[in-house]
Amino acid sequence: MLRSLLRDLSLFRSWLAVVLDTSHKLFPGRLAYKHELNTMEITGFDGNHLLIGEGEYGQVYGVKPTELSPELGNMIKLGTTRYGKSS
């Protein structure tokens, strides 16, 4: 319960930071805010998702197929020499 409360407060803080931001940057590229990742959270594992990360409070993020792109794929393995990327 405490973890859920902290997560909700973190999402509210993220949303509030966007609303109160008045800066206008020349290059607006940025990483996603926490509240924007909320739609990518996975609550049940049915094998139909491509898992992409874990959040600060234990939530799991993933991508699921849509009608426009029903297949998920295109994985890349990055590593140094002798990492075992040939699988």
Side-chain angles (χ1 to χ4, degrees):
M1 175 155 161
L2 181 61
R3 179 177 280 185
S4 176
L5 177 65
L6 290 174
R7 183 182 148 279
D8 290 341
L9 285 174
S10 177
L11 289 175
F12 177 73
R13 182 178 169 265
S14 170
W15 175 81
L16 194 63
V18 172
V19 170
L20 298 178
D21 185 21
T22 59
S23 63
H24 298 284
K25 299 178 177 115
L26 180 60
F27 300 105
R30 61 176 176 77
L31 296 174
Y33 289 106
K34 290 180 185 178
H35 69 275
E36 294 173 334
L37 296 174
N38 200 24
T39 58
M40 296 176 65
E41 272 187 35
I42 298 174
T43 55
F45 297 102
D46 59 357
N48 202 21
H49 296 85
L50 180 62
L51 305 179
I52 58 173
E54 184 179 348
E56 186 177 12
Y57 297 104
Q59 65 271 35
V60 178
Y61 297 114
V63 180
K64 57 185 171 185
T66 62
E67 287 185 16
L68 223 55
S69 56
E71 296 178 8
L72 298 175
N74 300 333
M75 297 288 291
I76 185 170
K77 249 183 156 176
L78 299 175
T80 58
T81 306
R82 300 205 179 264
Y83 180 71
K85 298 179 293 284
S86 62
S87 58

